[in-house]
Amino acid sequence: MIDFLLGILSAGFGDNSLDTRKIDRNIEMLKNHTWFKNIYEDEKYHRLFFVNRNVRQYLQSTMRVKRIIKREKSQRVFLVFLNNQLKNKISLIMNQG
């Protein structure tokens, strides 16, 4: 909930910058867990971790990442989020063609 509120506040102040080092550090923390490694190495998701701004912004929060590591429900929510990002990407491609 705090992440959500902080996200709204930072969006309201126009802070759109991403902390690449923090995101990469959080991804490394997640890669210590088999369930995440399987997602990360899956070809359909892998590119999202590098180019999708929404995914990178999601992973910028260390508190959120720790929650994902600790809670299976948060892991499922994260996977739903990734799948939605994939669907959005496919929709964009289809609409351009």
Side-chain angles (χ1 to χ4, degrees):
M1 183 62 127
I2 293 172
D3 286 332
F4 177 73
L5 293 173
L6 288 174
I8 290 173
L9 288 174
S10 67
F13 293 113
D15 182 13
N16 294 349
S17 62
L18 294 176
D19 186 340
T20 301
R21 280 183 276 157
K22 186 175 185 181
I23 295 164
D24 292 344
R25 196 170 45 242
N26 286 342
I27 289 173
E28 287 302 315
M29 194 177 356
L30 284 163
K31 282 170 54 178
N32 290 320
H33 303 274
T34 306
W35 64 267
F36 179 79
K37 232 174 161 176
N38 292 335
I39 294 169
Y40 185 80
E41 293 172 358
D42 187 326
E43 188 178 313
K44 71 180 180 183
Y45 297 113
H46 191 74
R47 187 165 164 79
L48 289 175
F49 294 105
F50 299 101
V51 299
N52 185 293
R53 182 170 182 75
N54 294 328
V55 171
R56 292 192 62 78
Q57 189 168 27
Y58 192 91
L59 293 174
Q60 183 167 259
S61 167
T62 302
M63 197 165 97
R64 182 181 295 133
V65 167
K66 287 181 179 180
R67 190 176 319 121
I68 291 170
I69 289 169
K70 291 179 185 176
R71 297 186 181 146
E72 198 172 312
K73 181 180 178 183
S74 296
Q75 294 167 16
R76 289 192 303 269
V77 168
F78 178 61
L79 188 57
V80 167
F81 172 74
L82 289 176
N83 283 316
N84 285 336
Q85 294 305 304
L86 278 178
K87 287 178 191 172
N88 290 343
K89 179 182 170 186
I90 291 169
S91 292
L92 281 173
I93 292 169
M94 298 299 280
N95 288 332
Q96 289 176 355

